[in-house]
Amino acid sequence: MAYRHFFIDVQRTLLARAAYAFNVSTYLYRFAFDSPYFNHSRILHCGRSARGVCHADELSYLFYNLNSDKLPPTSGEFKTIQRMIGMWTAFAATGNPNCTEIEPIQWQPVEAKDVENAQPKCLNIDEELEIKSLPHKHLKTWTNLFTNDNLF
């Protein structure tokens, strides 16, 4: 279900942007920070005992909500909030998400050649940040199920 409802749509959006908005930078991230108590979407939809990261879990790190608790500044959750706010603020102000909160990482825009090979590079947001290929090996197969003439 994840491929059908999320990953293929991300890939097709990247293909469309490579074809029609090639002069505009596109940044891709994968939110992988698995907090036992701060990934509110996962807890709401899957329960407290479930592990992993759920769609929309990153919103807890961008926006205060009813389930938010005060966090110690030394926690991974607090650090992730600082990074997320820094990246989104920098992107809104300049069109580039790189900021002091994620240094020394330099988040680069997605390259068209990587998208065409179904191996786009993304910023993997976890306890540590790293640039890696989107870790979904079946994107090429799924992409072949669709024609490119109706991307948008």
Side-chain angles (χ1 to χ4, degrees):
M1 294 300 286
Y3 277 94
R4 176 62 190 101
H5 292 287
F6 296 104
F7 305 137
I8 191 59
D9 294 331
V10 168
Q11 176 66 7
R12 290 181 55 77
T13 299
L14 291 174
L15 286 167
R17 290 190 58 80
Y20 304 116
F22 50 86
N23 58 340
V24 179
S25 296
T26 300
Y27 294 89
L28 180 63
Y29 73 93
R30 175 180 183 257
F31 190 79
F33 187 78
D34 182 14
S35 171
Y37 57 88
F38 211 77
N39 289 31
H40 298 134
S41 184
R42 183 202 64 229
I43 293 167
L44 175 68
H45 296 292
C46 304
R48 289 203 174 273
S49 62
R51 301 300 316 149
V53 178
C54 188
H55 176 64
D57 270 341
E58 73 269 31
L59 296 178
S60 298
Y61 298 83
L62 288 167
F63 304 104
Y64 179 81
N65 67 62
L66 186 61
N67 297 313
S68 297
D69 295 322
K70 187 170 173 104
L71 298 166
T74 57
S75 70
E77 290 81 6
F78 188 86
K79 188 174 188 177
T80 301
I81 288 170
Q82 297 296 97
R83 288 172 172 164
M84 296 289 283
I85 297 297
M87 290 183 289
W88 265 247
T89 302
F91 185 76
T94 68
N96 184 330
N98 288 293
C99 59
T100 57
E101 290 83 2
I102 68 170
E103 288 179 348
I105 291 287
Q106 280 297 305
W107 188 1
Q108 297 299 317
V110 174
E111 294 186 30
K113 67 178 176 56
D114 294 333
V115 174
E116 291 163 8
N117 294 325
Q119 289 293 309
K121 300 256 188 305
C122 66
L123 176 65
N124 193 66
I125 302 169
D126 204 340
E127 193 73 40
E128 299 300 324
L129 301 177
E130 70 177 311
I131 304 296
K132 61 194 291 185
S133 291
L134 194 62
H136 302 293
K137 59 185 175 189
H138 302 294
L139 276 177
K140 188 81 166 169
T141 303
W142 276 88
T143 302
N144 290 334
L145 295 175
F146 300 90
T147 61
N148 285 341
D149 56 332
N150 61 358
L151 284 174
F152 281 112

